[in-house]
């Protein structure tokens, strides 16, 4: 099943990159890893791979929050040798993820990401995918 890509989000991601010169790529994804939008600086194949990685990292953080009764995840930050990866919760079942140069002002990136999420809140929310099995383990119609 193919999920249509809401092109209306792409302009928002390009705007974020234009405002923050150290941001290389930006994607919007569902929490289960589906690509919902991407900046023009990243091709679709790499954007889909980026979404899968961001979803996994955000999921690990969510699991830690649940296991330790610490609450939900607002943001996940991964510092790499030559880049920083930010994943921010963006409405129900969605995330905004960016990859920046290591020289990026991390506070400014986090602030701008949160401003972006606030500006478009409802557009970044997605419904969870239905579970194909009922509680007894039988496939639902």
């Amino acid at each position: 099943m193919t999920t249509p890509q809401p092109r209306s989000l792409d302009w928002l991601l390009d705007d974020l990159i234009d405002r923050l010169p150290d941001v290389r790529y930006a994607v919007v994804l569902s929490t289960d890893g589906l690509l919902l939008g991407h900046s023009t600086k990243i091709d679709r194949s790499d954007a889909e791979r980026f979404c899968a990685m961001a979803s996994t990292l955000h999921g690990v953080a969510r699991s830690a929050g649940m296991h330790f009764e610490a609450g939900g995840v607002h943001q996940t930050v991964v510092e790499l040798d030559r880049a920083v990866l930010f994943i921010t919760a963006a409405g129900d079942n969605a995330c905004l993820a960016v990859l920046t140069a290591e020289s990026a002002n991390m506070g400014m990136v986090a602030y701008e990401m949160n401003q972006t999420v606030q500006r478009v809140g409802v557009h970044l929310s997605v419904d969870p995918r239905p579970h194909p099995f009922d509680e007894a383990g039988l496939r639902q119609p």
Side-chain angles (χ1 to χ4, degrees):
M1 181 169 121
T2 303
T3 302
Q5 185 176 354
R7 302 305 294 171
S8 61
L9 294 178
D10 295 354
W11 70 268
L12 179 72
L13 301 174
D14 287 334
D15 179 61
L16 179 65
I17 286 176
D18 289 344
R19 286 185 286 117
L20 295 168
D22 286 331
V23 173
R24 295 179 185 166
Y25 309 121
V27 295
V28 175
L29 60 136
S30 65
T31 52
D32 58 359
L34 292 177
L35 173 65
L36 301 175
H38 63 89
S39 58
T40 55
K41 291 187 177 183
I42 187 170
D43 66 39
R44 184 172 179 87
S45 175
D46 283 340
E48 288 174 344
R49 184 170 284 118
F50 188 12
C51 288
M53 290 183 258
S55 171
T56 300
L57 291 168
H58 191 73
V60 168
R62 257 192 342 262
S63 293
M66 285 188 285
H67 178 77
F68 296 109
E69 298 177 5
V73 178
H74 298 281
Q75 187 169 65
T76 303
V77 179
V78 178
E79 294 183 58
L80 304 164
D81 288 339
R82 292 177 300 281
V84 181
L85 172 61
F86 293 81
I87 308 152
T88 298
D92 296 333
N93 303 308
C95 296
L96 170 62
V98 301
L99 183 71
T100 72
E102 75 270 19
S103 59
N105 178 330
M106 293 174 60
M108 185 58 73
V109 171
Y111 173 79
E112 289 292 341
M113 287 179 72
N114 284 305
Q115 289 299 109
T116 299
V117 168
Q118 299 269 331
R119 277 180 29 205
V120 295
V122 69
H123 299 293
L124 295 180
S125 295
V126 284
D127 294 329
R129 285 198 271 178
H131 195 281
F133 299 97
D134 63 16
E135 291 179 13
L138 303 173
R139 182 170 288 282
Q140 295 178 353

